[in-house]
Amino acid sequence: MINAQVGFDDLGLGEPLLKALRDKGYVHPSPIQEQAIPAVIRGRDLMAAAQTGTGKTAGFTLPMLERLRHGRRPARGQVRALVLTPTRELAAQVHENVRAYGRHLPLRSEVVFGGVKINPQIERLQKGVDLLVATPGRLLDLHQQGVLRFDQLECLVLDEADRMLDMGFIHDIRRLIRLLPEQRQNLLFSATFSPPIRKLATGLLHQPLQIQVTPENQTARSVEQVVHPCDMKRKSELLSHLIRDGDWRQVLVFSRTKHGANRVAEKLSREGLEAAAIHGNKSQGARTRALQGFKQGSVRVLVATDIAARGIDIQQLPHVINLDLPNVAEDYVHRIGRTGRAGETGHAISLVAAEESLLLKAIERLTGEVLRKEDVKGFEPTILTAPPIDLGGGRRRSNQRPRRRQGGSSGRQRRH
């Protein structure tokens, strides 16, 4: 719970940052902010386990800006503080926060990621940057071209480190760390303290303060969760029904596949529900437009894959719907963490077919809670048993006959 007795002015932040917080209407820090900000200002290394929506971005950007404002300005091509993120969307979101909090400071911040032209980024970086937010691949490209140097680097942040490992960035991260000065502050943020994260932290952090604001793999208590059993082939129809029946104006929908996301977004749009898809095959411009439209209200339904959804940070997002359950149970926690933020009540709905029974059981084992099942009138499932979706990452169960997936998000399966 947020300690109402503690204000941001109790944490060691200077007046320029406090003014920016007042501009945004923020008065009391979240638990992770209350613990992290003083420690980072003192120069401690930090290892924090925090779900999306706990305020972790402000937990590291505010104290970094406080430290940077007292130091010497960067030389040409130099970077003083570096935040690494797994996706373009998250990089853009973090940089948006940096700009908002640093609006009254004479500091330069930039963001760089792939999928867009590199030359404009090169031009912006040449004067030197106090704080840079970047994805690993584009950052390595810029360094190899001689655009960036790290001699002045004071602080490194790995944001959503667990996702970076999942996406295969560990080799890029290790290459980057070898380029950095040994004497620096290190901050690592992850949804969980999994064994791979602890291994990474061992070689990266020096006597870190550990913060864990939510028990591992538990879902936020402010999120109301419900499962609607449904035949696989009727999921899109049920999704449309729920949105119309509840008159939901802002809905984030998760699809397991890019093709499925496209199909559902197109179907909803044809039915008069403004929808857009966001996934890795979309251009960066299309992804940015879809996300902006969703935030501003011109897009009512955003259909996303797990990777593309990283970095979607919307205050008071009311509804998250799992059109398909994720293959990895931990992703369920990430998904529904998009709603129920900052003490607001959120609504997480999963449309679950009989074929997904093993996936549902894996989620319930991970979170330690049995999800409430509730039929929707007119959409009660007719298939009582079906071959489960494979949990083995491609290895088929020995007693399971081959089956071919047909169509997009509906995931309809045909036996033969």
Side-chain angles (χ1 to χ4, degrees):
M1 293 180 64
I2 293 174
N3 184 351
Q5 303 304 311
V6 176
F8 280 106
D9 53 356
D10 298 315
L11 303 182
L13 298 173
E15 180 55 30
L17 290 166
L18 293 175
K19 187 175 189 309
L21 287 165
R22 289 195 296 269
D23 293 343
K24 293 178 72 67
Y26 297 158
V27 178
H28 300 293
S30 70
I32 191 169
Q33 292 162 2
E34 184 179 338
Q35 296 177 68
I37 289 173
V40 175
I41 290 176
R42 291 195 303 269
R44 289 286 304 271
D45 278 15
L46 185 67
M47 180 179 179
Q51 296 177 11
T52 300
T54 55
K56 65 182 175 65
T57 302
F60 65 80
T61 55
L62 285 167
M64 285 171 67
L65 290 168
E66 178 62 30
R67 286 176 62 85
L68 289 170
R69 81 186 186 96
H70 297 290
R72 61 191 180 96
R73 299 305 304 277
R76 186 174 178 83
Q78 293 282 359
V79 176
R80 297 178 61 205
L82 175 63
V83 180
L84 289 179
T85 72
T87 68
R88 309 166 191 174
E89 283 74 25
L90 183 57
Q93 184 65 49
V94 171
H95 185 240
E96 188 177 309
N97 278 270
V98 169
R99 292 185 62 185
Y101 298 137
R103 60 184 300 186
H104 303 301
L105 293 172
L107 299 176
R108 283 177 52 84
S109 66
E110 292 290 348
V111 59
V112 295
F113 44 72
V116 296
K117 293 181 180 178
I118 198 170
N119 286 340
Q121 295 179 351
I122 291 174
E123 292 176 9
R124 295 199 304 271
L125 294 174
Q126 287 177 342
K127 295 179 181 179
V129 181
D130 292 288
L131 194 155
L132 178 64
V133 187
T135 52
R138 178 51 61 94
L139 188 68
L140 282 170
D141 288 346
L142 288 161
H143 180 267
Q144 288 165 359
Q145 293 190 36
V147 177
L148 286 176
R149 301 196 310 280
F150 301 111
D151 310 87
Q152 282 188 250
L153 191 92
E154 303 168 31
C155 184
L156 169 68
V157 181
L158 298 186
D159 191 16
E160 299 203 356
D162 54 325
R163 180 58 53 172
M164 281 198 271
L165 298 190
D166 289 345
M167 294 173 65
F169 284 135
I170 185 61
H171 299 298
D172 285 348
I173 291 170
R174 287 176 176 154
R175 286 175 62 194
L176 284 165
I177 289 172
R178 286 195 292 267
L179 301 172
L180 307 181
E182 287 191 15
Q183 295 298 318
R184 65 177 189 271
Q185 185 177 24
N186 301 286
L187 313 176
L188 185 151
F189 288 80
S190 170
T192 66
F193 287 159
S194 64
I197 287 296
R198 291 189 181 277
K199 182 178 178 181
L200 174 63
T202 299
L204 178 70
L205 307 177
H206 176 66
Q207 297 180 345
L209 171 67
Q210 292 194 25
I211 299 174
Q212 191 164 349
V213 296
T214 304
E216 286 194 26
N217 295 323
Q218 287 194 7
T219 53
R221 297 303 175 194
S222 57
V223 179
E224 179 187 352
Q225 303 170 69
V226 65
V227 167
H228 291 321
C230 175
D231 291 345
M232 192 75 83
K233 64 184 179 181
R234 298 197 69 193
K235 282 191 175 188
S236 295
E237 185 183 353
L238 175 54
L239 172 65
S240 178
H241 168 78
L242 291 171
I243 294 170
R244 291 184 185 281
D245 189 60
D247 193 27
W248 296 341
R249 311 310 299 181
Q250 193 178 45
V251 186
L252 177 60
V253 176
F254 282 97
S255 168
R256 189 182 297 118
T257 67
K258 301 169 187 175
H259 181 56
N262 284 339
R263 281 177 58 95
V264 171
E266 290 166 3
K267 180 179 184 297
L268 293 174
S269 295
R270 287 196 302 270
E271 295 174 359
L273 296 171
E274 303 85 355
I278 181 171
H279 53 68
N281 284 357
K282 294 280 188 180
S283 70
Q284 184 57 38
R287 291 162 74 163
T288 300
R289 287 192 298 274
L291 189 53
Q292 283 300 112
F294 188 56
K295 287 182 176 182
Q296 295 168 1
S298 59
V299 172
R300 185 170 173 179
V301 185
L302 188 66
V303 190
T305 55
D306 286 295
I307 296 301
R310 305 300 279 198
I312 294 177
D313 186 6
I314 298 168
Q315 294 295 323
Q316 301 178 5
L317 176 62
H319 308 288
V320 168
I321 299 184
N322 294 302
L323 186 68
D324 307 304
L325 289 183
N327 288 327
V328 179
E330 286 86 351
D331 284 340
Y332 175 82
V333 178
H334 291 304
R335 287 180 177 190
I336 72 167
R338 304 289 153 185
T339 187
R341 296 182 168 201
E344 296 290 332
T345 301
H347 199 195
I349 297 170
S350 298
L351 311 186
V352 180
E355 294 94 321
E356 297 172 296
S357 58
L358 289 182
L359 299 178
L360 180 59
K361 288 178 182 176
I363 289 167
E364 292 178 332
R365 279 197 305 271
L366 179 78
T367 60
E369 53 188 314
V370 176
L371 299 181
R372 177 167 57 92
K373 317 305 189 288
E374 187 177 282
D375 285 339
V376 177
K377 188 174 181 180
F379 291 89
E380 298 87 347
T382 56
I383 301 176
L384 299 180
T385 59
I389 290 176
D390 183 22
L391 285 166
R395 290 180 297 174
R396 194 175 303 283
R397 296 168 64 92
S398 60
N399 63 345
Q400 187 176 324
R401 288 187 290 178
R403 31 186 222 284
R404 182 178 65 206
R405 291 185 70 88
Q406 173 182 315
S409 65
S410 67
R412 181 177 180 178
Q413 297 172 350
R414 178 182 295 172
R415 298 185 183 88
H416 50 229

